[in-house]
Amino acid sequence: MSEFPSRRPPSEPRIAFHKTEMRPILDVYGRLVMAGEARDYAIGMHKDHAIFAIFRRHAENPTWRIEKQPHLANMQGQYVVYGQAGQVLRRGRDLQQVLRVFDRKRFTVVK
């Protein structure tokens, strides 16, 4: 018998956002909340990627997803912003440059 029978084996390592990456992401999320375009978020950590999902309403699919995929760092860039329909809005190696997709003027309906 083992000396510590209730000890679990170590779990697989997971990809996560670092504190220096979370600050600009939360800044963008805060601006979207202030503009009334976002109400909720979720963070997912998986073995091959991390996700920060931004929701317009609680029970919907995410309006935007910011993903970190380290295995693509040397090819297309490890950061990706996806739209609601799954289209790639911006991809790159630098998180600040990728998040600039949220700085653009939004289209508004003029009556």
Side-chain angles (χ1 to χ4, degrees), residues 32 37 52-54 56 62-66 82 89 102 106:
L32 292 171
E37 296 184 27
F52 187 93
I54 301 172
R56 191 167 296 208
T63 307
W64 299 282
R65 287 181 303 152
I66 302 165
Y82 291 103
L89 300 178
F102 294 103
R106 307 237 184 261

Side-chain angles (χ1 to χ4, degrees), residues 1-7:
M1 282 193 101
S2 170
E3 186 176 335
F4 302 104
S6 64
R7 189 174 213 181

Side-chain angles (χ1 to χ4, degrees), residues 49-54 61-69 71-72 76-91 98-99 101-102:
H49 67 284
I51 302 172
F52 187 93
I54 301 172
N61 290 331
T63 307
W64 299 282
R65 287 181 303 152
I66 302 165
E67 289 193 12
K68 176 182 178 181
Q69 302 170 351
H71 64 277
L72 296 177
Q76 301 167 343
Q78 67 178 343
Y79 302 106
V80 185
V81 175
Y82 291 103
Q84 188 170 11
Q87 71 274 27
V88 175
L89 300 178
R90 192 128 187 206
R91 177 185 302 267
V98 172
L99 292 177
V101 71
F102 294 103

Side-chain angles (χ1 to χ4, degrees), residues 3 19 21 24 28-29 33 51 53 57 60-61 64 68 71-72 75 77 86 90 104 107-109:
E3 186 176 335
K19 184 177 12 175
E21 296 168 329
V28 166
Y29 172 71
V33 168
I51 302 172
R57 291 186 181 74
E60 291 183 348
N61 290 331
W64 299 282
K68 176 182 178 181
H71 64 277
L72 296 177
M75 291 181 274
R90 192 128 187 206
R104 295 184 190 158
F107 293 104
T108 58
V109 177

Side-chain angles (χ1 to χ4, degrees), residues 8-27:
R8 295 182 194 163
S11 61
E12 293 183 12
R14 294 177 182 245
I15 304 298
F17 288 104
H18 191 265
K19 184 177 12 175
T20 58
E21 296 168 329
M22 285 301 294
R23 182 176 308 273
I25 292 172
L26 288 173
D27 287 344

